[in-house]
Amino acid sequence: MIDLEHLVLDHSEQMLLLVDPANLQIVVANRVAGQVLGYTSEELLARTITEIESSLQDVFYWEHVSQGQCQNIEAQEGLYQCADGSMLTIRKSIQVLEQVGKPLLLIQARPVQNQSKIEDQLAQTLSQLRATLESTGNGILVIDWQGRIANMNRLCSNMWQIPQDLLLGRDDTAILDFIAASVVESEACRRQLREIVDSEESKCSFELHDRRIFECRSRPQFLGGNIIGRVFGYDDITEREQAEQALRESRDQLDEKVLARTADLRAANTALLAEKARQEELIRKLADAHAQLLQSEKMASIGQLAAGVAHEINNPVGFVNSNLGSLQRYVQDLLKLLAAYECAENALPAQALDEIRRLRVEFDVAYLREDIGNLISESADGLQRVKRIVQDLKDFSHVDEAERQWANLEHGLDSTLNVVWNELKYKAEIVKDYAKIAEIECFPAQLNQVFMNLLINAGHAIKNRGRITIRTGQEEANVWVEIEDSGVGIKPENLGRIFEPFFTTKPVGKGTGLGLSLAYGIVQKHSGRIEVKSEPDKGSVFRVVLPRCAGAKTAPQAQSVVQACA
């Protein structure tokens, strides 16, 4: 036998044996026969068929064959002896073939035990499936690919209230039409029952004419990779829908009540927030007023102290200055007398002359005559400086000024600079760039306080040694004072907060955060404004713009500066 024929035989699922009727010898055996019976191919080909088949009817059959009576057999049971001595019940068919004018017998056999086992398992599975279909809580309807009802449980027929005569008549078309006609949207239901070969799962709901609501889930039924039908599962969700509808209505009512209550709460909260904002604004204003009052009282106390100190210093300075003038005249007279004595010293006795010359050398009269004048001049200059400092203290304090008056801001800057000079002289070089501005109507003492805060802040911004430039100028009805420093500058995120009360970037204990806030308040009181521009690590520029006349507003300036806001 050619290899192709062997290949075909070996791929058969049945045992195939080819027997020579002349000697009952097995001439061909496929692979399945050897595997099932436990023989090798050589062992099978070395045996006769009667050594394999053992039932009585097989013995009679092969006896007839040996006598030349060959005939076909269909689905006959028999016994095959396996290699291990066990007996295997099989179901076989025998077909007579003609091979080159010579008959051969082809035996096709399969074990009966496996077939029976499969049939039992299939029957058990079908029984479980029927029990499952009947015990499930859903109505199950199975339609095959031809549109016929393959299965339907009793719950499904009861749910749809299918008449008994339709069920007994097994008219599938009439049953499906009855189901579709029970639905309000009959055509949609009918279209769904026809879409058997759709590969997608689906879920939908149907409302019946009797007001019931069915939920339908359907999915395709596969055999291998092919769709052979569709399974529909129906669930009566009427009570659930009614409960959900009642719940939705209750929730809607609750939502309406919640919205109404929320609106009331929102209105109350808005009123509360408005009241809170009003109270916070009052508290802020009170705090600002308190801080300004404290600062004003402090400055008034400082001014009174400065005026008192200046008054007390003026008294001794006055008589010291007077005495120093008298002393200068007395010394000049004494020096003239000494010169007259020197002219007459040659008339003195030699002993007295020697003593006078010795004393002249000992006291260095020539040096005394020269140095006494210098000492008196330096003392007079020192007294003038003391008088100037006292005057600056009086000018800075202005304790007797309770109303606006015309004042020169450049003079106020000079007096303020003298007062804070001790803070600045070791840290900064002071550069004055005055434009000889006109006088303005103001409270000089308060503006001096603004300049003092700006100068002190400029000194604090310089870490080691730097420069502070003071400029003045005027434009139309305004005058301005500008204080520029070469310090560390102000960070952009802090630039908008520098005029807030109690805001400070200085370490704890080094600043109160009130200096610029009070300065802003004073400038605002004068109807002016403070402008600031700053760049980190390069310094800051503060410009105070004031109207020349009381009650006037400063005109906004078109320049690239950041206007500070309180």
Side-chain angles (χ1 to χ4, degrees):
M1 183 174 290
I2 63 177
D3 292 339
L4 180 60
E5 293 173 338
H6 273 296
L7 182 63
V8 173
L9 292 175
D10 286 340
H11 280 77
S12 174
E13 295 180 354
Q14 303 182 48
M15 293 184 291
L16 297 177
L17 299 173
L18 196 60
V19 178
D20 187 352
N23 54 12
L24 304 182
Q25 188 72 34
I26 300 173
V27 295
V28 175
N30 71 345
R31 179 174 52 83
V32 177
Q35 291 175 347
V36 172
L37 299 176
Y39 296 103
T40 65
S41 178
E42 290 77 9
E43 289 175 341
L44 283 174
L45 296 179
R47 283 175 167 72
T48 63
I49 189 62
T50 54
E51 295 178 276
I52 300 298
E53 296 190 349
S54 302
S55 67
L56 185 59
Q57 61 182 356
D58 292 337
V59 173
F60 290 152
Y61 175 81
W62 293 115
E63 183 67 25
H64 293 156
V65 169
S66 62
Q67 295 174 4
Q69 301 178 7
C70 298
Q71 53 184 320
N72 295 336
I73 296 177
E74 291 292 336
Q76 176 180 306
E77 289 191 3
L79 292 175
Y80 274 17
Q81 185 173 5
C82 299
D84 59 1
S86 61
M87 303 301 294
L88 178 65
T89 302
I90 55 92
R91 179 169 292 173
K92 68 179 181 180
S93 297
I94 299 179
Q95 187 176 359
V96 180
L97 304 176
E98 290 293 332
Q99 181 72 18
V100 194
K102 174 182 174 183
L104 290 175
L105 299 176
L106 175 62
I107 304 173
Q108 303 177 53
R110 70 172 65 244
V112 174
Q113 289 92 333
N114 292 342
Q115 183 73 18
S116 300
K117 185 176 180 180
I118 292 172
E119 291 175 354
D120 292 341
Q121 289 176 347
L122 180 59
Q124 183 180 1
T125 301
L126 290 175
S127 176
Q128 291 176 351
L129 178 60
R130 292 191 191 96
T132 301
L133 288 176
E134 295 301 332
S135 62
T136 184
N138 295 341
I140 303 299
L141 174 65
V142 182
I143 302 178
D144 64 17
W145 65 278
Q146 293 179 325
R148 296 177 299 186
I149 297 176
N151 211 331
M152 180 172 60
N153 64 356
R154 281 193 297 272
L155 180 58
C156 181
S157 61
N158 293 336
M159 287 175 59
W160 289 101
Q161 300 176 357
I162 301 174
Q164 194 67 21
D165 57 341
L166 288 180
L167 295 175
L168 294 176
R170 297 183 180 276
D171 188 343
D172 296 344
T173 302
I175 292 174
L176 295 178
D177 286 342
F178 179 84
I179 291 175
S182 301
V183 177
V184 174
E185 297 181 1
S186 301
E187 191 56 37
C189 180
R190 188 174 286 107
R191 186 167 54 252
Q192 185 193 50
L193 293 174
R194 290 172 183 169
E195 294 175 352
I196 305 301
V197 294
D198 187 4
S199 61
E200 299 293 330
E201 297 183 7
S202 67
K203 177 182 176 182
C204 62
S205 297
F206 293 119
E207 182 180 357
L208 279 62
H209 291 293
D210 59 6
R211 311 300 296 175
R212 289 184 298 161
I213 300 175
F214 287 177
E215 183 180 74
C216 176
R217 297 173 182 265
S218 70
R219 63 183 61 195
Q221 180 185 3
F222 288 93
L223 180 61
N226 299 319
I227 298 175
I228 62 171
R230 196 167 188 86
V231 179
F232 298 87
Y234 297 100
D235 185 17
D236 189 345
I237 61 171
T238 305
E239 293 184 0
R240 189 181 75 189
E241 284 293 321
Q242 292 174 348
E244 289 180 354
Q245 180 63 28
L247 180 61
R248 282 193 293 269
E249 293 175 356
S250 176
R251 186 175 58 215
D252 291 342
Q253 294 175 358
L254 181 60
D255 288 343
E256 291 177 0
K257 293 180 180 179
V258 169
L259 288 175
R261 183 59 178 162
T262 302
D264 293 341
L265 290 175
R266 188 178 292 112
N269 188 52
T270 302
L272 183 62
L273 290 176
E275 178 63 21
K276 181 182 177 183
R278 189 181 68 84
Q279 292 181 0
E280 288 178 348
E281 179 66 16
L282 290 175
I283 292 172
R284 186 187 66 80
K285 290 181 178 179
L286 181 61
D288 290 349
H290 181 64
Q292 291 185 10
L293 180 60
L294 289 178
Q295 187 71 5
S296 298
E297 291 179 353
K298 182 175 71 173
M299 292 305 298
S301 299
I302 293 174
Q304 290 176 357
L305 177 62
V309 170
H311 178 71
E312 293 300 324
I313 292 177
N314 266 339
N315 291 332
V317 166
F319 66 73
V320 170
N321 188 47
S322 176
N323 292 344
L324 188 61
S326 299
L327 179 61
Q328 187 175 17
R329 291 193 303 272
Y330 297 161
V331 168
Q332 289 175 354
D333 292 342
L334 289 174
L335 290 177
K336 289 179 182 179
L337 179 60
L338 180 60
Y341 283 140
E342 286 177 345
C343 292
E345 67 180 2
N346 293 328
L348 295 175
Q351 183 179 358
L353 184 59
D354 291 339
E355 181 64 20
I356 289 173
R357 289 176 178 172
R358 185 185 66 79
L359 292 174
R360 181 185 295 171
V361 172
E362 181 181 350
F363 296 143
D364 197 356
V365 173
Y367 174 76
L368 290 178
R369 180 182 285 112
E370 178 184 355
D371 194 44
I372 284 175
N374 293 336
L375 290 177
I376 292 175
S377 297
E378 289 176 2
S379 298
D381 183 60
L383 282 174
Q384 291 301 319
R385 291 176 61 186
V386 171
K387 289 177 67 177
R388 189 164 57 251
I389 292 172
V390 170
Q391 185 61 39
D392 287 336
L393 282 173
K394 291 176 67 179
D395 292 342
F396 177 78
S397 62
H398 288 279
V399 293
D400 54 344
E401 297 172 1
E403 297 179 355
R404 291 178 183 265
Q405 58 182 276
W406 292 91
N408 188 309
L409 297 185
E410 293 175 352
H411 294 167
L413 283 168
D414 288 336
S415 62
T416 303
L417 189 60
N418 286 333
V419 172
V420 299
W421 177 244
N422 194 56
E423 283 276 336
L424 305 177
K425 62 183 179 181
Y426 300 112
K427 299 193 68 175
E429 173 192 359
I430 305 299
V431 177
K432 297 179 182 180
D433 184 9
Y434 291 170
K436 297 182 179 179
I437 59 177
E439 292 184 346
I440 70 170
E441 192 177 6
C442 63
F443 296 99
Q446 294 182 9
L447 293 180
N448 288 344
Q449 182 182 348
V450 173
F451 301 147
M452 181 181 70
N453 287 334
L454 294 179
L455 287 169
I456 291 176
N457 283 347
H460 290 170
I462 298 173
K463 288 187 176 180
N464 297 318
R465 183 75 181 176
R467 172 180 293 183
I468 297 176
T469 303
I470 306 173
R471 301 185 186 91
T472 61
Q474 58 189 14
E475 50 194 24
E476 298 179 359
N478 299 337
V479 298
W480 53 265
V481 174
E482 193 172 81
I483 297 177
E484 179 181 359
D485 66 72
S486 60
V488 296
I490 303 171
K491 295 181 179 179
E493 61 268 23
N494 294 332
L495 197 59
R497 302 187 59 196
I498 58 175
F499 294 103
E500 293 180 6
F502 308 109
F503 176 79
T504 180
T505 57
K506 298 176 183 177
V508 176
K510 297 294 185 181
T512 62
L514 291 174
L516 287 177
S517 174
L518 294 174
Y520 183 87
I522 292 171
V523 173
Q524 196 175 46
K525 180 179 178 181
H526 283 75
S527 301
R529 68 179 185 272
I530 300 182
E531 300 169 348
V532 56
K533 59 181 179 180
S534 180
E535 189 173 349
D537 300 325
K538 291 190 177 180
S540 305
V541 180
F542 284 82
R543 171 176 284 198
V544 178
V545 183
L546 299 165
R548 293 179 58 186
C549 299
K553 296 282 187 180
T554 57
Q557 241 180 330
Q559 55 181 340
S560 179
V561 294
V562 177
Q563 184 164 340
C565 299

